[in-house]
Amino acid sequence: MLQRPAYPAQSYSTATQASPSLPPASMAGLPVSGSAPISMLEISIQRLEDIVDQETAALKQRETIDLKAFNDRKSQALLELTRWMRNISGVEANPAIAARIGALKEKLLVNQAVLKLHLEAVREISASMADAIQQSESDGTYTQAISSAYRQL
């Protein structure tokens, strides 16, 4: 049996946390009895959605976050989701599950775009800092202005 992963308390809101006592299957109008794998799959989808939503919101609000911790949490949730998907292979397709996975895909695309923007900003800042450090450490011996002036002589 899979155990629920432990999440860092400071970055995981209990308001968005999936409750194991209220499976999302009951909220989606799916029968809960006899569909434990599907209910667990929905809980896994909800958990991954929550993590992605939290990371996306934090990045959009320009909060300081631990990207490694979010990456670890997303990886764990994706592993759990993959395992539950294997458990229901061969089961008749469920339109509610397909809709949930479609919504998750959309959230992941938004998250990817926000992360890309964040990483581009980090690259620009680090390049600016590297240039500033290089200029402050340079004594001007090999700068283009000096070599151009030397050629004119």
Side-chain angles (χ1 to χ4, degrees):
M1 185 170 126
L2 291 175
Q3 291 183 347
R4 185 179 185 147
Y7 296 116
Q10 72 274 10
S11 63
Y12 192 71
S13 166
T14 55
T16 58
Q17 182 176 356
S19 171
S21 62
L22 290 172
S26 63
M27 292 181 246
L30 300 174
V32 177
S33 61
S35 65
I38 291 177
S39 296
M40 293 306 297
L41 176 63
E42 285 196 308
I43 289 170
S44 295
I45 293 170
Q46 183 64 46
R47 187 171 294 132
L48 184 54
E49 282 180 337
D50 291 345
I51 295 166
V52 169
D53 287 344
Q54 290 170 13
E55 181 182 42
T56 303
L59 287 169
K60 283 182 175 181
Q61 295 171 3
R62 298 185 179 115
E63 294 176 6
T64 302
I65 63 170
D66 184 354
L67 290 174
K68 183 177 181 337
F70 270 107
N71 188 49
D72 291 346
R73 290 173 57 202
K74 287 190 295 186
S75 295
Q76 179 65 38
L78 189 56
L79 175 64
E80 180 181 323
L81 178 62
T82 303
R83 288 179 178 162
W84 283 113
M85 291 292 287
R86 285 186 197 139
N87 282 344
I88 66 162
S89 64
V91 174
E92 185 178 326
N94 185 325
I97 295 292
R100 294 290 305 269
I101 291 174
L104 174 61
K105 183 178 178 181
E106 291 298 316
K107 289 181 180 194
L108 287 169
L109 290 173
V110 171
N111 181 259
Q112 179 183 21
V114 173
L115 277 169
K116 182 179 179 183
L117 184 65
H118 178 77
L119 290 174
E120 288 172 358
V122 168
R123 280 189 197 109
E124 286 182 28
I125 292 169
S126 64
S128 295
M129 291 177 70
D131 288 344
I133 291 169
Q134 185 178 15
Q135 288 176 3
S136 71
E137 291 178 349
S138 173
D139 64 358
T141 304
Y142 300 105
T143 62
Q144 186 171 353
I146 292 175
S147 62
S148 297
Y150 181 73
R151 283 188 211 136
Q152 290 177 354
L153 292 176

